[in-house]
PDB file of all heavy atoms in Angstrom:
ATOM      1  N   GLU A 312     -11.727 -16.828   7.262  1.00  0.00           N
ATOM      2  CA  GLU A 312     -12.218 -15.900   8.283  1.00  0.00           C
ATOM      3  C   GLU A 312     -11.115 -15.527   9.258  1.00  0.00           C
ATOM      4  O   GLU A 312     -10.966 -14.348   9.628  1.00  0.00           O
ATOM      5  CB  GLU A 312     -13.402 -16.520   9.044  1.00  0.00           C
ATOM      6  CG  GLU A 312     -14.648 -16.739   8.196  1.00  0.00           C
ATOM      7  CD  GLU A 312     -15.329 -15.428   7.814  1.00  0.00           C
ATOM      8  OE1 GLU A 312     -14.992 -14.367   8.390  1.00  0.00           O
ATOM      9  OE2 GLU A 312     -16.213 -15.466   6.920  1.00  0.00           O
ATOM     10  N   LYS A 313     -10.323 -16.500   9.682  1.00  0.00           N
ATOM     11  CA  LYS A 313      -9.254 -16.218  10.646  1.00  0.00           C
ATOM     12  C   LYS A 313      -8.157 -15.358  10.017  1.00  0.00           C
ATOM     13  O   LYS A 313      -7.592 -14.473  10.681  1.00  0.00           O
ATOM     14  CB  LYS A 313      -8.657 -17.532  11.172  1.00  0.00           C
ATOM     15  CG  LYS A 313      -9.663 -18.430  11.886  1.00  0.00           C
ATOM     16  CD  LYS A 313     -10.340 -17.735  13.058  1.00  0.00           C
ATOM     17  CE  LYS A 313     -11.305 -18.656  13.769  1.00  0.00           C
ATOM     18  NZ  LYS A 313     -12.062 -17.966  14.853  1.00  0.00           N
ATOM     19  N   LEU A 314      -7.853 -15.608   8.763  1.00  0.00           N
ATOM     20  CA  LEU A 314      -6.858 -14.778   8.080  1.00  0.00           C
ATOM     21  C   LEU A 314      -7.364 -13.349   7.931  1.00  0.00           C
ATOM     22  O   LEU A 314      -6.619 -12.384   8.125  1.00  0.00           O
ATOM     23  CB  LEU A 314      -6.531 -15.370   6.705  1.00  0.00           C
ATOM     24  CG  LEU A 314      -5.758 -16.689   6.685  1.00  0.00           C
ATOM     25  CD1 LEU A 314      -5.710 -17.256   5.272  1.00  0.00           C
ATOM     26  CD2 LEU A 314      -4.343 -16.512   7.238  1.00  0.00           C
ATOM     27  N   TYR A 315      -8.627 -13.209   7.571  1.00  0.00           N
ATOM     28  CA  TYR A 315      -9.183 -11.870   7.371  1.00  0.00           C
ATOM     29  C   TYR A 315      -9.231 -11.092   8.682  1.00  0.00           C
ATOM     30  O   TYR A 315      -8.963  -9.889   8.707  1.00  0.00           O
ATOM     31  CB  TYR A 315     -10.585 -11.975   6.768  1.00  0.00           C
ATOM     32  CG  TYR A 315     -11.164 -10.631   6.376  1.00  0.00           C
ATOM     33  CD1 TYR A 315     -10.796 -10.033   5.179  1.00  0.00           C
ATOM     34  CD2 TYR A 315     -12.040  -9.958   7.210  1.00  0.00           C
ATOM     35  CE1 TYR A 315     -11.299  -8.794   4.814  1.00  0.00           C
ATOM     36  CE2 TYR A 315     -12.552  -8.719   6.862  1.00  0.00           C
ATOM     37  CZ  TYR A 315     -12.174  -8.134   5.663  1.00  0.00           C
ATOM     38  OH  TYR A 315     -12.662  -6.907   5.310  1.00  0.00           O
ATOM     39  N   GLU A 316      -9.541 -11.772   9.789  1.00  0.00           N
ATOM     40  CA  GLU A 316      -9.664 -11.096  11.078  1.00  0.00           C
ATOM     41  C   GLU A 316      -8.342 -10.541  11.589  1.00  0.00           C
ATOM     42  O   GLU A 316      -8.338  -9.594  12.379  1.00  0.00           O
ATOM     43  CB  GLU A 316     -10.206 -12.082  12.124  1.00  0.00           C
ATOM     44  CG  GLU A 316     -11.663 -12.462  11.931  1.00  0.00           C
ATOM     45  CD  GLU A 316     -12.078 -13.603  12.854  1.00  0.00           C
ATOM     46  OE1 GLU A 316     -11.230 -14.049  13.674  1.00  0.00           O
ATOM     47  OE2 GLU A 316     -13.237 -14.054  12.759  1.00  0.00           O
ATOM     48  N   LYS A 317      -7.213 -11.099  11.134  1.00  0.00           N
ATOM     49  CA  LYS A 317      -5.931 -10.723  11.747  1.00  0.00           C
ATOM     50  C   LYS A 317      -5.307  -9.470  11.125  1.00  0.00           C
ATOM     51  O   LYS A 317      -4.209  -9.068  11.478  1.00  0.00           O
ATOM     52  CB  LYS A 317      -4.942 -11.893  11.690  1.00  0.00           C
ATOM     53  CG  LYS A 317      -4.570 -12.387  10.291  1.00  0.00           C
ATOM     54  CD  LYS A 317      -3.266 -11.824   9.799  1.00  0.00           C
ATOM     55  CE  LYS A 317      -2.895 -12.311   8.428  1.00  0.00           C
ATOM     56  NZ  LYS A 317      -1.699 -11.643   7.888  1.00  0.00           N
ATOM     57  N   SER A 318      -6.008  -8.829  10.172  1.00  0.00           N
ATOM     58  CA  SER A 318      -5.448  -7.632   9.535  1.00  0.00           C
ATOM     59  C   SER A 318      -6.555  -6.626   9.237  1.00  0.00           C
ATOM     60  O   SER A 318      -7.729  -6.992   9.125  1.00  0.00           O
ATOM     61  CB  SER A 318      -4.729  -8.002   8.236  1.00  0.00           C
ATOM     62  OG  SER A 318      -4.206  -6.854   7.601  1.00  0.00           O
ATOM     63  N   ASN A 319      -6.192  -5.359   9.121  1.00  0.00           N
ATOM     64  CA  ASN A 319      -7.129  -4.318   8.700  1.00  0.00           C
ATOM     65  C   ASN A 319      -6.604  -3.581   7.469  1.00  0.00           C
ATOM     66  O   ASN A 319      -6.947  -2.433   7.237  1.00  0.00           O
ATOM     67  CB  ASN A 319      -7.397  -3.330   9.845  1.00  0.00           C
ATOM     68  CG  ASN A 319      -6.120  -2.699  10.383  1.00  0.00           C
ATOM     69  OD1 ASN A 319      -5.052  -2.823   9.776  1.00  0.00           O
ATOM     70  ND2 ASN A 319      -6.216  -2.034  11.525  1.00  0.00           N
ATOM     71  N   CYS A 320      -5.775  -4.265   6.674  1.00  0.00           N
ATOM     72  CA  CYS A 320      -5.128  -3.642   5.513  1.00  0.00           C
ATOM     73  C   CYS A 320      -5.500  -4.340   4.209  1.00  0.00           C
ATOM     74  O   CYS A 320      -4.686  -4.425   3.290  1.00  0.00           O
ATOM     75  CB  CYS A 320      -3.609  -3.640   5.689  1.00  0.00           C
ATOM     76  SG  CYS A 320      -3.037  -2.680   7.098  1.00  0.00           S
ATOM     77  N   TRP A 321      -6.723  -4.847   4.135  1.00  0.00           N
ATOM     78  CA  TRP A 321      -7.150  -5.528   2.923  1.00  0.00           C
ATOM     79  C   TRP A 321      -7.741  -4.528   1.919  1.00  0.00           C
ATOM     80  O   TRP A 321      -8.345  -3.540   2.314  1.00  0.00           O
ATOM     81  CB  TRP A 321      -8.203  -6.581   3.248  1.00  0.00           C
ATOM     82  CG  TRP A 321      -7.783  -7.570   4.293  1.00  0.00           C
ATOM     83  CD1 TRP A 321      -8.354  -7.765   5.512  1.00  0.00           C
ATOM     84  CD2 TRP A 321      -6.697  -8.502   4.210  1.00  0.00           C
ATOM     85  NE1 TRP A 321      -7.707  -8.759   6.197  1.00  0.00           N
ATOM     86  CE2 TRP A 321      -6.666  -9.229   5.418  1.00  0.00           C
ATOM     87  CE3 TRP A 321      -5.735  -8.796   3.240  1.00  0.00           C
ATOM     88  CZ2 TRP A 321      -5.741 -10.226   5.679  1.00  0.00           C
ATOM     89  CZ3 TRP A 321      -4.803  -9.788   3.497  1.00  0.00           C
ATOM     90  CH2 TRP A 321      -4.802 -10.490   4.693  1.00  0.00           C
ATOM     91  N   THR A 322      -7.565  -4.816   0.645  1.00  0.00           N
ATOM     92  CA  THR A 322      -8.181  -3.990  -0.401  1.00  0.00           C
ATOM     93  C   THR A 322      -9.540  -4.533  -0.814  1.00  0.00           C
ATOM     94  O   THR A 322     -10.332  -3.815  -1.428  1.00  0.00           O
ATOM     95  CB  THR A 322      -7.278  -3.928  -1.644  1.00  0.00           C
ATOM     96  OG1 THR A 322      -7.108  -5.264  -2.166  1.00  0.00           O
ATOM     97  CG2 THR A 322      -5.913  -3.343  -1.303  1.00  0.00           C
ATOM     98  N   HIS A 323      -9.825  -5.805  -0.526  1.00  0.00           N
ATOM     99  CA  HIS A 323     -11.089  -6.436  -0.860  1.00  0.00           C
ATOM    100  C   HIS A 323     -11.567  -7.238   0.347  1.00  0.00           C
ATOM    101  O   HIS A 323     -10.744  -7.804   1.081  1.00  0.00           O
ATOM    102  CB  HIS A 323     -10.952  -7.361  -2.073  1.00  0.00           C
ATOM    103  CG  HIS A 323     -10.571  -6.657  -3.340  1.00  0.00           C
ATOM    104  ND1 HIS A 323      -9.305  -6.127  -3.560  1.00  0.00           N
ATOM    105  CD2 HIS A 323     -11.296  -6.375  -4.464  1.00  0.00           C
ATOM    106  CE1 HIS A 323      -9.270  -5.566  -4.759  1.00  0.00           C
ATOM    107  NE2 HIS A 323     -10.446  -5.704  -5.323  1.00  0.00           N
ATOM    108  N   SER A 324     -12.886  -7.319   0.531  1.00  0.00           N
ATOM    109  CA  SER A 324     -13.420  -7.919   1.753  1.00  0.00           C
ATOM    110  C   SER A 324     -14.297  -9.145   1.521  1.00  0.00           C
ATOM    111  O   SER A 324     -14.713  -9.773   2.489  1.00  0.00           O
ATOM    112  CB  SER A 324     -14.225  -6.880   2.544  1.00  0.00           C
ATOM    113  OG  SER A 324     -15.302  -6.392   1.752  1.00  0.00           O
ATOM    114  N   PHE A 325     -14.605  -9.520   0.274  1.00  0.00           N
ATOM    115  CA  PHE A 325     -15.489 -10.667   0.070  1.00  0.00           C
ATOM    116  C   PHE A 325     -14.737 -11.969   0.400  1.00  0.00           C
ATOM    117  O   PHE A 325     -13.520 -12.058   0.252  1.00  0.00           O
ATOM    118  CB  PHE A 325     -16.029 -10.712  -1.357  1.00  0.00           C
ATOM    119  CG  PHE A 325     -14.973 -10.936  -2.422  1.00  0.00           C
ATOM    120  CD1 PHE A 325     -14.590 -12.222  -2.802  1.00  0.00           C
ATOM    121  CD2 PHE A 325     -14.369  -9.857  -3.057  1.00  0.00           C
ATOM    122  CE1 PHE A 325     -13.640 -12.428  -3.780  1.00  0.00           C
ATOM    123  CE2 PHE A 325     -13.410 -10.051  -4.043  1.00  0.00           C
ATOM    124  CZ  PHE A 325     -13.038 -11.337  -4.401  1.00  0.00           C
ATOM    125  N   GLN A 326     -15.510 -12.960   0.878  1.00  0.00           N
ATOM    126  CA  GLN A 326     -14.888 -14.239   1.238  1.00  0.00           C
ATOM    127  C   GLN A 326     -14.456 -14.957  -0.032  1.00  0.00           C
ATOM    128  O   GLN A 326     -15.284 -15.330  -0.864  1.00  0.00           O
ATOM    129  CB  GLN A 326     -15.856 -15.114   2.030  1.00  0.00           C
ATOM    130  CG  GLN A 326     -15.165 -16.356   2.583  1.00  0.00           C
ATOM    131  CD  GLN A 326     -16.113 -17.308   3.287  1.00  0.00           C
ATOM    132  OE1 GLN A 326     -16.858 -18.044   2.638  1.00  0.00           O
ATOM    133  NE2 GLN A 326     -16.092 -17.287   4.611  1.00  0.00           N
ATOM    134  N   TRP A 327     -13.162 -15.188  -0.174  1.00  0.00           N
ATOM    135  CA  TRP A 327     -12.601 -15.784  -1.388  1.00  0.00           C
ATOM    136  C   TRP A 327     -12.149 -17.201  -1.064  1.00  0.00           C
ATOM    137  O   TRP A 327     -10.997 -17.436  -0.730  1.00  0.00           O
ATOM    138  CB  TRP A 327     -11.450 -14.933  -1.892  1.00  0.00           C
ATOM    139  CG  TRP A 327     -11.245 -15.009  -3.384  1.00  0.00           C
ATOM    140  CD1 TRP A 327     -12.074 -15.548  -4.315  1.00  0.00           C
ATOM    141  CD2 TRP A 327     -10.123 -14.504  -4.106  1.00  0.00           C
ATOM    142  NE1 TRP A 327     -11.555 -15.412  -5.573  1.00  0.00           N
ATOM    143  CE2 TRP A 327     -10.353 -14.774  -5.474  1.00  0.00           C
ATOM    144  CE3 TRP A 327      -8.967 -13.858  -3.736  1.00  0.00           C
ATOM    145  CZ2 TRP A 327      -9.443 -14.417  -6.468  1.00  0.00           C
ATOM    146  CZ3 TRP A 327      -8.056 -13.496  -4.720  1.00  0.00           C
ATOM    147  CH2 TRP A 327      -8.295 -13.769  -6.077  1.00  0.00           C
ATOM    148  N   VAL A 328     -13.068 -18.134  -1.149  1.00  0.00           N
ATOM    149  CA  VAL A 328     -12.809 -19.551  -0.911  1.00  0.00           C
ATOM    150  C   VAL A 328     -13.269 -20.288  -2.159  1.00  0.00           C
ATOM    151  O   VAL A 328     -14.427 -20.188  -2.558  1.00  0.00           O
ATOM    152  CB  VAL A 328     -13.560 -20.053   0.342  1.00  0.00           C
ATOM    153  CG1 VAL A 328     -13.371 -21.558   0.502  1.00  0.00           C
ATOM    154  CG2 VAL A 328     -13.074 -19.315   1.586  1.00  0.00           C
ATOM    155  N   LYS A 329     -12.366 -21.052  -2.800  1.00  0.00           N
ATOM    156  CA  LYS A 329     -12.676 -21.630  -4.101  1.00  0.00           C
ATOM    157  C   LYS A 329     -12.181 -23.070  -4.193  1.00  0.00           C
ATOM    158  O   LYS A 329     -11.164 -23.444  -3.609  1.00  0.00           O
ATOM    159  CB  LYS A 329     -11.990 -20.832  -5.217  1.00  0.00           C
ATOM    160  CG  LYS A 329     -12.352 -19.354  -5.278  1.00  0.00           C
ATOM    161  CD  LYS A 329     -13.748 -19.130  -5.795  1.00  0.00           C
ATOM    162  CE  LYS A 329     -13.871 -19.451  -7.253  1.00  0.00           C
ATOM    163  NZ  LYS A 329     -15.247 -19.209  -7.763  1.00  0.00           N
ATOM    164  N   GLY A 330     -12.938 -23.858  -4.982  1.00  0.00           N
ATOM    165  CA  GLY A 330     -12.431 -25.155  -5.387  1.00  0.00           C
ATOM    166  C   GLY A 330     -11.420 -24.984  -6.495  1.00  0.00           C
ATOM    167  O   GLY A 330     -11.595 -24.144  -7.391  1.00  0.00           O
ATOM    168  N   ASP A 331     -10.338 -25.769  -6.460  1.00  0.00           N
ATOM    169  CA  ASP A 331      -9.265 -25.543  -7.442  1.00  0.00           C
ATOM    170  C   ASP A 331      -9.692 -25.915  -8.851  1.00  0.00           C
ATOM    171  O   ASP A 331      -9.197 -25.346  -9.822  1.00  0.00           O
ATOM    172  CB  ASP A 331      -7.980 -26.278  -7.041  1.00  0.00           C
ATOM    173  CG  ASP A 331      -8.143 -27.796  -6.988  1.00  0.00           C
ATOM    174  OD1 ASP A 331      -9.284 -28.286  -6.973  1.00  0.00           O
ATOM    175  OD2 ASP A 331      -7.105 -28.488  -6.937  1.00  0.00           O
TER     176      ASP A 331
END
Side-chain angles (χ1 to χ4, degrees):
E312 294 290 347
K313 300 303 181 185
L314 291 171
Y315 187 81
E316 289 171 3
K317 61 98 180 174
S318 179
N319 56 12
C320 297
W321 306 117
T322 61
H323 297 71
S324 60
F325 65 88
Q326 188 184 77
W327 208 12
V328 175
K329 302 287 290 181
D331 62 345

